[in-house]
């Protein structure tokens, strides 16, 4: 289905209810509070309300999902999710706002909430089997030196590799300021990456942390280059504050592509079940990161 067909299908709220219901309750209605399987339907609100016949708990289709509390119509959310899951993924908040006819702030918030879902999904799947990890850099300066340039953001990029040497799952992680020295990634950084992102025990783990080292497993560096080009083309570059969520967005789609699966169906399911993130929490997590960066920069 292309975007025009998708828009024709999900043209109003009613068209979205069925899909959302199936993604939220794939085995039929189930009360989130008591587990009861029967509800009465109340249709007087913008969205239908399901009232549990046992405990009277009321839930709408977006209760407890990434869309909870949003006044944006469902079909606009659906279109945003479609565009974020699409392998072309050439949308940014300005384009999305114009495409689905919402304000820039609403478009930005929808995109970040969907990216948060992608980040959570990425975090749940660990690298395993034969694992290659390489140091990489986002925002490489024209004349790299031994010392880190302020526009360079060190990354650790890792992949699970199958017996034919192909990548089956990729992670790109921004190295936190406390794991960096003036000219590279500290051992604590690679230890942290392995602890957080690699299933243990893995016999085939290989970690390469030398900067600008063109030897080793090349597909990881090509992936990074692709991610950098995408961020440059679509967003005109990303600062350190938001870099990780954009890397997560890139990896989410990439990993489905590597498995020859559609990222769209799963993203709908996740958005219909994942817990919402508030604007305050979203901006707070970004603020905390930039504060840490500033503290590390002033300490260096
Ligand atoms: Zn109940």
């Amino acid at each position: 289905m292309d975007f025009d067909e998708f828009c024709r299908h999900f043209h109003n709220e009613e068209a979205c209810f069925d899909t959302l219901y199936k993604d939220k309750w794939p085995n039929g209605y189930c009360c989130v509070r008591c587990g009861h399987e029967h509800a009465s339907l109340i249709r007087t609100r913008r969205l239908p309300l399901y009232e549990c016949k046992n405990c009277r708990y009321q839930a709408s289709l977006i209760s407890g999902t990434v869309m909870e509390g949003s006044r944006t119509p469902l079909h606009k959310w659906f279109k945003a999710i479609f565009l974020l899951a699409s392998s072309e993924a050439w949308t940014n908040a300005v384009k999305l706002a114009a495409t689905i006819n919402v304000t820039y702030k609403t478009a930005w918030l929808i995109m970040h909430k969907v990216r948060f879902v992608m980040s959570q999904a990425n975090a749940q799947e660990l690298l395993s089997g034969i694992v290659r990890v390489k140091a990489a850099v986002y925002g490489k300066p024209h004349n790299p030196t031994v010392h880190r340039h302020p526009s360079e953001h060190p990354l650790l990029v890792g992949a699970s590799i199958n017996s034919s040497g192909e990548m089956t799952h990729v992670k790109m992680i921004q190295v936190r300021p406390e794991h960096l020295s003036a000219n590279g990634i500290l051992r604590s950084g690679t230890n942290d990456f392995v602890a957080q992102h690699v299933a243990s025990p893995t016999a085939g783990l290989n970690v390469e942390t030398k900067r600008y080292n063109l030897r080793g497993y090349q597909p990881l560096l090509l992936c990074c280059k692709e991610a950098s080009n995408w961020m440059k083309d679509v967003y005109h570059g990303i600062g350190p504050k938001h870099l990780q969520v954009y890397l997560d967005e890139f990896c989410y789609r990439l990993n489905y592509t590597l498995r020859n699966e559609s990222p769209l169906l799963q993203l709908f399911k996740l958005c219909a079940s994942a817990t919402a993130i508030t604007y305050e929490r979203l901006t707070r997590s970004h603020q905390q990161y930039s504060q840490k960066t500033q503290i590390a920069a002033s300490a260096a």
Side-chain angles (χ1 to χ4, degrees):
M1 210 190 265
D2 67 21
F3 187 57
D4 289 339
E5 285 169 315
F6 184 87
C7 291
R8 276 197 295 278
H9 186 78
F10 295 107
H11 63 290
N12 63 16
E13 296 302 84
E14 283 70 30
C16 304
F17 290 163
D18 197 36
T19 299
L20 206 49
Y21 184 94
K22 282 180 188 148
D23 282 339
K24 187 178 174 68
W25 291 305
N27 303 314
Y29 171 82
C30 181
C31 174
V32 71
R33 188 174 281 173
C34 75
H36 193 68
E37 292 176 347
H38 299 282
S40 317
L41 189 58
I42 304 168
R43 286 194 181 274
T44 48
R45 308 282 184 86
R46 178 174 75 90
L47 296 173
L49 268 182
Y50 294 81
E51 187 182 84
C52 173
K53 285 189 174 174
N54 180 45
C55 74
R56 304 282 163 216
Y57 179 74
Q58 294 183 337
S60 79
L61 288 169
I62 61 170
S63 303
T65 76
V66 80
M67 291 163 263
E68 180 165 6
S70 169
R71 286 191 298 270
T72 305
L74 291 179
H75 66 96
K76 296 190 178 190
W77 270 96
F78 272 44
K79 287 166 194 167
I81 294 168
F82 181 97
L83 291 170
L84 275 158
S86 143
S87 56
E88 292 90 45
W90 293 117
T91 219
N92 55 34
V94 174
K95 285 184 194 162
L96 181 67
T99 309
I100 66 171
N101 196 20
V102 294
T103 62
Y104 172 81
K105 190 184 166 187
T106 300
W108 185 90
L109 199 53
I110 288 176
M111 291 185 90
H112 271 274
K113 285 183 172 184
V114 177
R115 284 193 195 103
F116 176 73
V117 170
M118 292 170 157
S119 299
Q120 282 183 316
N122 287 350
Q124 275 165 14
E125 194 161 342
L126 300 177
L127 302 177
S128 61
I130 302 170
V131 174
R132 295 285 174 269
V133 180
K134 225 172 153 27
V137 174
Y138 173 74
K140 199 159 82 171
H142 288 298
N143 297 308
T145 65
V146 287
H147 293 295
R148 183 156 41 89
H149 189 273
S151 68
E152 280 182 52
H153 306 297
L155 311 174
L156 280 169
V157 190
S160 306
I161 313 287
N162 66 16
S163 53
S164 315
E166 296 157 344
M167 297 188 295
T168 56
H169 193 82
V170 175
K171 283 179 184 283
M172 295 185 188
I173 304 294
Q174 186 177 11
V175 182
R176 301 190 74 88
E178 61 266 33
H179 298 309
L180 295 173
S181 68
N183 49 16
I185 299 169
L186 298 169
R187 176 68 66 87
S188 65
T190 51
N191 288 346
D192 189 58
F193 180 94
V194 172
Q196 304 258 358
H197 306 290
V198 181
S200 71
T202 177
L205 174 67
N206 180 293
V207 183
E208 165 68 68
T209 55
K210 235 180 184 176
R211 292 192 324 150
Y212 303 121
N213 185 344
L214 294 176
R215 281 180 299 182
Y217 189 69
Q218 289 305 303
L220 285 175
L221 291 180
L222 289 174
C223 258
C224 262
K225 202 170 173 192
E226 222 178 285
S228 283
N229 288 343
W230 167 72
M231 286 187 269
K232 202 167 94 192
D233 291 345
V234 180
Y235 302 105
H236 312 296
I238 301 289
K241 206 165 100 175
H242 297 299
L243 181 58
Q244 186 59 56
V245 284
Y246 289 89
L247 292 170
D248 285 345
E249 183 194 333
F250 183 86
C251 287
Y252 180 87
R253 277 190 304 267
L254 173 68
N255 287 328
Y256 277 90
T257 312
L258 290 174
R259 290 201 294 261
N260 284 324
E261 289 174 16
S262 154
L264 182 62
L265 296 175
Q266 190 58 22
L267 191 57
F268 268 115
K269 280 197 181 77
L270 291 169
C271 287
S273 58
T275 316
I277 180 170
T278 61
Y279 180 74
E280 287 69 32
R281 210 177 125 208
L282 240 179
T283 45
R284 207 186 318 130
S285 64
H286 291 318
Q287 272 163 11
Q288 278 168 355
Y289 183 82
S290 61
Q291 273 163 8
K292 275 191 178 164
T293 315
Q294 278 159 13
I295 292 164
S298 59

